[in-house]
Amino acid sequence: MDDARADATGTDRDDHLFAAAGTAAAVLDGAGTVVALTPAAEELLGRRSADVCGRPVRELLADASGWEALVARWRGGRAPDATDAPDATDAPDATDLPDATDPPDEGGAAPTGRREPGAPDPPAGWEGRVTLRHGSGHDLDVGFGVLPLDEGRGEGAARFLVVGAPADALVRWRQDRALTRELFLQGRVGLALFDAGLRLLRTNSHLLPYTGVPVDMGGRRLADFLRAEDAEAIEAQLGDVLRTGNPLIGFSTAVRTLADPRAGRELSFSAFRLLEPDGRAMGVATVFTDVTDHQRARGRLELLYRATEALSGSLSVMRTVEDLAGVLAPTLGDCAAVDLAETVLTGGEPPADGRHALVLLRMAVAGAEAGAPRTGTAHAEPIDDPEGRGPGAPAGNSHGVLVTGLGRDAPAPPGGAPEWIAAAPGAHSAMAAPLRARGIMFGRLLVWRTGHRPTLDLDDLALLEEIASRAALAVDNARRYTKERRTAVGLQRSLLPPATCERPALEAAGAYLPADADSGVGGDWFDVIPLSSARVALVVGDVAGHGLHATAMMGRLRSAVRALADLDLEPEELLAHLDDLVLQVAAEAESEEPGNGDTGIPLPGGPAGATCLYAVYDPVARQCVMASAGHPPPAVVAPDGTVDWIDLSPGPPLGVGGWPFEAAERDLEPGSVLALYTDGLIERGEGDIDEGMRDLADRLTRAEVLERPLRHARHDIVADLPPGRLKDDVTLLLARTREVPAGSTATWLLDADPAVVADARHLVLEQLTRWDLDELGFTTELIASELVTNAIRYAGGPVRLRLLRTDALTCEVSDPSNTQPRMRRARTSEEGGRGLYLVAQLSRRWGSRYTREGKTVWSEQSLPLVLAGHTP
């Protein structure tokens, strides 16, 4: 550090160029003879004093021809300035040194010792520059100054003190003086000098036209006129510079005076330590600049950036305005609110022009305290001046409105204050800017300031207007997306079955929560499909991805599952057919051109894979058979309250192809609750899947699914999952199992003999009598006769006949053949071929299904009205 200072300032004597100690000086008499030299002069000349004293000074000059001109100028009544200083070719004659008592005459004659009337006073001293002959023989440029020592004791008896230094050192000295002088005179950068006690010694105080700054600050501490916390912050930094010597660069802090604590300035400080010649700390020099406007501009840019980021973070109208309000308060104001037109929330568009009243709802508030603006309040704003030239409320203007001077003692504005101004108690200033895009008014932004914060100004209003213009576009985009999303969600829900259903086999209730607006509508679905013989199929699926293409794919898969379920396929076989369908859709999508035919409209996203769980519950056997295509296993709540998971080996997701699916069987006690779901319920970013499944088990237990109706329990299970805030769709299907009592079924095993057809008719009639279903005796007898006859004739034996009474009467005939029955139109001349036609006409619905032993042909009939709706 000391070496650096020495390099920057030269030798130590440069710090005391014309001080008494260590200064090159010589005394000359009136004749220009050297009388005495200082040791510093001996060192400068490279000569000893004994060799110089007594000799004319001109002998020390390299060229004395210019001395006469210099002396002549001096005798002309003024001391030569820097421009008059002779160079090496214009050295003065030492013998012509003027007498201090004799002013120069008009003709330039030598001094006479007497002053002529009207002659100017001689200068007190003068300076110049000469080239000396160094003792080693080289030339040395020296700057010098001449001062008279006395009045003289006779003509030529005056003596002069000549001080000098190398010319380059003199230039540096003059530069240092000029730099210091100009620093304290300029008005762009502040300069302050503090002593070792951090008392203010000197400053260009004209740079501080702030309220509360004293004119005379000499000897004061900063705490005498600055707030204590601001003064402590500055002095702590200066004290560190004073102790360590490490310079301070670019320290910014608020500076607020005691007289005006609210309106402060932001100053940037840089400081360095000052040292005495002996190395002791003399004080601290501080350079500071007012960066208030820069910091405010930077803060406004940062606020604009943050607001833009908040506006681009979501496609939800509510989340957009909530995030925006959180950015505006407390950065721009102490309280902020966003009002939106009522129609915007549902995706509608307010009227573009004309005189009308716009209903605004306060949708977001930030920074509000008790009694401040509240969300949910409605305001009717007249929109009668689309160009914004009228004096109405800000909602009707194209530009913002700034209101200052608010408060208890402030006079009421003419005509009364608008509602929005008085919404924030204690505010001293407020402003509002409309949310207007495409000439349509969507709402407004409101900002209030309270307490000791500076009053809002026009720059703040311009910033709010810029934010409002961007917010209007964001709200408009979110509104359009809301409209499209409502359409997609409506399509999604239209493709889902009723949320609850009652079947003889089970009670079912489903719940569907769509993902948030940013993720888009997904492709989750559930279904409850009635099958033959009182059996029911439960389906839960999840199409990968989000958007309309996922919803459309979900609709295709649900329709395919229902069509395949009508064939009474086994679960693993049904998933295999469904997998083929997804592969076919993918192949068709890959073969499509980028445009949709000749319209040039791009096609939606390509086909997506899907997961699916298909389960079939038989209330007679009390058994559930299921298969999974990449879907998580269902949970089972047993009648004793225990929750476990079905041991299921899931196959690959749909669309992979080439892999078989495996079925699993599970006996279920009556009253058990089966829970099928999609991964959105167990994968919500809160942990791994195992943790999510444990959480689901806890939810099922807390919801008391065994004791309560499932239509109520389903809501409790997903109660803390707010719709519109999920990253993925959540689908839940609950099913409480039931059984068909043994007394509601009747089964007979018949031989493959045509003679047993009569016995079958007799057995059916007897059983219907026991069930009080004599009204169905004739039709059921005919159906059973035709089905048993066909089984004996075309399939052989043995033949099994079963009657099943639930909410319908089912007649089943099973045989060992795998040949499906086919109904055909019999010709008039044919005696046979009308059996299945009669069965179809007499039945509510009929069909056949493959079994592991062959096939089963079944027929359903509606019960009589007296018994309709009666379940076992």
Side-chain angles (χ1 to χ4, degrees):
M1 188 70 178
D2 295 336
D3 294 341
R5 287 175 53 83
D7 293 339
T9 62
T11 61
D12 291 341
R13 71 181 62 182
D14 293 336
D15 295 333
H16 311 277
L17 187 57
F18 293 112
T23 302
V27 178
L28 306 181
D29 60 14
T33 304
V34 180
V35 176
L37 289 178
T38 64
E42 293 180 348
E43 182 180 354
L44 178 64
L45 295 172
R47 302 172 185 270
R48 295 183 303 170
S49 179
D51 297 334
V52 175
C53 291
R55 298 173 57 185
V57 69
R58 65 183 302 166
E59 295 182 2
L60 301 176
L61 304 178
D63 187 352
S65 60
W67 183 267
E68 291 80 359
L70 188 61
V71 173
R73 293 189 184 97
W74 186 87
R75 288 175 176 173
R78 63 181 178 87
D81 56 18
T83 61
D84 297 328
D87 54 17
T89 63
D90 192 21
D93 187 349
T95 60
D96 290 332
L97 281 173
D99 192 337
T101 61
D102 295 332
D105 56 21
E106 296 298 328
T112 62
R114 295 184 303 275
R115 184 173 301 169
E116 296 294 334
D121 294 334
W126 53 287
E127 298 178 357
R129 180 174 174 180
V130 295
T131 301
L132 298 179
R133 182 77 64 185
H134 193 268
S136 62
H138 68 272
D139 294 342
L140 177 66
D141 289 337
V142 175
F144 68 91
V146 179
L147 297 174
L149 293 180
D150 50 36
E151 293 293 331
R153 290 174 296 279
E155 186 175 347
R159 292 185 302 171
F160 301 89
L161 175 64
V162 181
V163 293
D168 56 349
L170 183 60
V171 170
R172 289 200 303 270
W173 180 75
R174 285 175 172 169
Q175 291 172 346
D176 292 344
R177 289 190 61 192
L179 175 62
T180 304
R181 181 175 61 252
E182 294 301 324
L183 277 177
F184 282 98
L185 292 178
Q186 57 81 41
R188 301 288 296 178
V189 179
L191 180 66
L193 298 181
F194 295 84
D195 62 12
L198 295 183
R199 287 180 293 272
L200 192 58
L201 300 178
R202 187 180 178 189
T203 182
N204 52 345
S205 58
H206 61 276
L207 187 69
L208 302 171
Y210 312 133
T211 303
V213 177
V215 177
D216 182 13
M217 294 185 292
R220 294 176 180 264
R221 298 290 294 266
L222 295 178
D224 294 339
F225 54 90
L226 297 183
R227 292 182 60 174
E229 55 268 32
D230 298 340
E232 290 176 0
I234 298 174
E235 289 185 349
Q237 297 293 330
L238 298 183
D240 184 67
V241 173
L242 195 62
R243 288 189 305 272
T244 64
N246 296 326
L248 176 67
I249 305 296
F251 168 69
S252 296
T253 184
V255 177
R256 292 160 292 182
T257 61
L258 296 174
D260 190 7
R262 184 176 66 179
R265 307 295 290 180
E266 188 82 11
L267 299 184
S268 176
F269 290 88
S270 295
F272 53 90
R273 185 171 64 179
L274 302 178
L275 298 177
E276 298 280 2
D278 59 1
R280 291 183 296 108
M282 177 191 300
V284 178
T286 303
V287 179
F288 58 93
T289 55
D290 190 339
V291 295
T292 305
D293 295 338
H294 173 74
Q295 291 288 5
R296 288 179 179 175
R298 181 177 179 180
R300 292 188 178 100
L301 287 177
E302 291 179 353
L303 177 59
L304 183 60
Y305 172 78
R306 290 178 55 197
T308 304
E309 185 179 27
L311 293 172
S312 61
S314 174
L315 286 173
S316 168
V317 174
M318 282 298 302
R319 186 176 298 181
T320 297
V321 298
E322 288 174 356
D323 294 344
L324 178 60
V327 171
L328 295 178
T331 305
L332 185 58
D334 298 291
C335 181
V338 182
D339 295 347
L340 292 179
E342 186 178 19
T343 57
V344 174
L345 303 178
T346 58
E349 186 175 280
D353 52 14
R355 296 176 177 268
H356 60 276
L358 185 65
V359 178
L360 298 179
L361 298 180
R362 188 144 295 164
M363 303 310 303
V365 174
E369 299 178 353
R374 299 187 304 272
T375 58
T377 56
H379 316 276
E381 294 292 337
I383 307 299
D384 54 3
D385 187 12
E387 298 299 327
R389 292 187 293 266
N397 298 330
S398 296
H399 302 286
V401 173
L402 174 65
V403 181
T404 58
L406 302 177
R408 292 183 179 178
D409 301 331
E419 173 276 333
W420 66 271
I421 296 179
H428 56 71
S429 56
M431 58 183 178
L435 298 176
R436 186 181 293 275
R438 299 184 293 107
I440 299 174
M441 181 70 187
F442 293 103
R444 63 186 176 185
L445 300 183
L446 306 172
V447 174
W448 298 267
R449 277 192 185 174
T450 61
H452 296 293
R453 294 189 64 178
T455 302
L456 293 167
D457 54 26
L458 292 178
D459 290 337
D460 296 322
L461 179 60
L463 175 61
L464 185 65
E465 289 177 338
E466 177 62 26
I467 294 176
S469 65
R470 302 188 183 193
L473 294 177
V475 169
D476 190 21
N477 291 335
R479 177 197 63 81
R480 296 185 183 204
Y481 180 80
T482 299
K483 182 178 180 180
E484 298 297 332
R485 187 172 184 273
R486 286 171 62 90
T487 301
V489 171
L491 174 62
Q492 170 86 349
R493 294 191 181 278
S494 68
L495 296 176
L496 295 177
T500 60
C501 71
E502 292 282 345
R503 296 288 177 185
L506 49 81
E507 168 200 358
Y512 170 74
L513 299 180
D516 58 16
D518 299 333
S519 300
V521 180
D524 289 15
W525 88 94
F526 66 89
D527 208 347
V528 180
I529 306 173
L531 303 177
S532 61
S533 305
R535 296 172 306 126
V536 174
L538 303 175
V539 188
V540 172
D542 183 4
V543 177
H546 296 84
L548 283 176
H549 69 281
T551 303
M553 188 66 181
M554 179 271 285
R556 299 177 74 170
L557 291 179
R558 179 171 181 259
S559 300
V561 170
R562 277 189 163 266
L564 294 173
D566 192 54
L567 300 176
D568 270 326
L569 300 177
E570 295 293 330
E572 65 274 17
E573 187 178 358
L574 182 142
L575 291 181
H577 286 286
L578 202 61
D579 185 45
D580 293 338
L581 172 64
V582 175
L583 289 174
Q584 181 181 358
V585 172
E588 292 174 354
E590 291 178 358
S591 63
E592 288 286 348
E593 296 295 332
N596 186 7
D598 297 332
T599 64
I601 301 176
L603 292 171
T611 63
C612 183
L613 176 70
Y614 184 82
V616 176
Y617 176 67
D618 187 348
V620 178
R622 299 185 302 178
Q623 185 180 69
C624 185
V625 181
M626 66 191 69
S628 170
H631 207 82
V636 177
V637 184
D640 60 0
T642 59
V643 181
D644 64 343
W645 308 89
I646 294 180
D647 187 10
L648 184 63
S649 177
L654 301 175
V656 175
W659 292 86
F661 298 96
E662 183 178 346
E665 297 180 359
R666 175 72 176 263
D667 293 332
L668 298 177
E669 300 180 41
S672 299
V673 175
L674 197 63
L676 290 77
Y677 52 90
T678 56
D679 56 2
L681 185 59
I682 60 175
E683 296 178 357
R684 300 189 309 276
E686 302 172 358
D688 56 16
I689 296 180
D690 292 337
E691 182 179 351
M693 296 175 73
R694 288 192 295 269
D695 177 68
L696 176 57
D698 294 338
R699 291 173 182 269
L700 292 171
T701 302
R702 292 194 303 268
E704 300 178 351
V705 295
L706 296 176
E707 295 82 11
R708 302 173 60 198
L710 296 183
R711 62 179 181 275
H712 301 316
R714 59 174 176 149
H715 294 302
D716 293 342
I717 295 176
V718 296
D720 60 341
L721 305 178
R725 299 286 186 177
L726 302 170
K727 294 301 180 183
D728 194 6
D729 294 4
V730 170
T731 302
L732 174 67
L733 178 60
L734 300 177
R736 178 182 287 117
T737 61
R738 294 168 175 165
E739 68 172 341
V740 175
S744 295
T745 61
T747 305
W748 302 277
L749 191 62
L750 307 176
D751 295 331
D753 184 355
V756 302
V757 175
D759 297 335
R761 290 196 296 267
H762 179 70
L763 294 173
V764 167
L765 291 175
E766 289 182 347
Q767 186 62 46
L768 294 180
T769 300
R770 296 190 191 98
W771 288 343
D772 295 329
L773 294 177
D774 293 327
E775 293 183 32
L776 299 178
F778 175 74
T779 57
T780 306
E781 178 187 16
L782 184 56
I783 291 173
S785 175
E786 292 295 334
L787 294 180
V788 171
T789 300
N790 286 342
I792 294 176
R793 179 179 299 176
Y794 299 109
V799 175
R800 190 186 66 172
L801 173 64
R802 186 173 74 162
L803 292 180
L804 178 64
R805 185 190 65 174
T806 55
D807 61 339
L809 179 64
T810 303
C811 178
E812 297 180 352
V813 175
S814 301
D815 59 61
S817 172
N818 290 326
T819 302
Q820 287 283 4
R822 182 172 60 88
M823 184 175 60
R824 66 184 181 86
R825 179 180 296 273
R827 297 179 180 179
T828 307
S829 58
E830 293 180 337
E831 296 182 358
R834 298 177 178 84
L836 289 180
Y837 177 77
L838 291 175
V839 170
Q841 295 300 314
L842 297 175
S843 304
R844 183 176 69 179
R845 62 174 188 155
W846 75 280
S848 64
R849 65 176 182 271
Y850 287 110
T851 63
R852 295 178 181 178
E853 296 81 14
K855 70 176 183 295
T856 298
V857 183
W858 54 270
S859 167
E860 282 186 5
Q861 301 176 77
S862 299
L863 297 178
L865 294 178
V866 178
L867 299 177
H870 173 73
T871 56

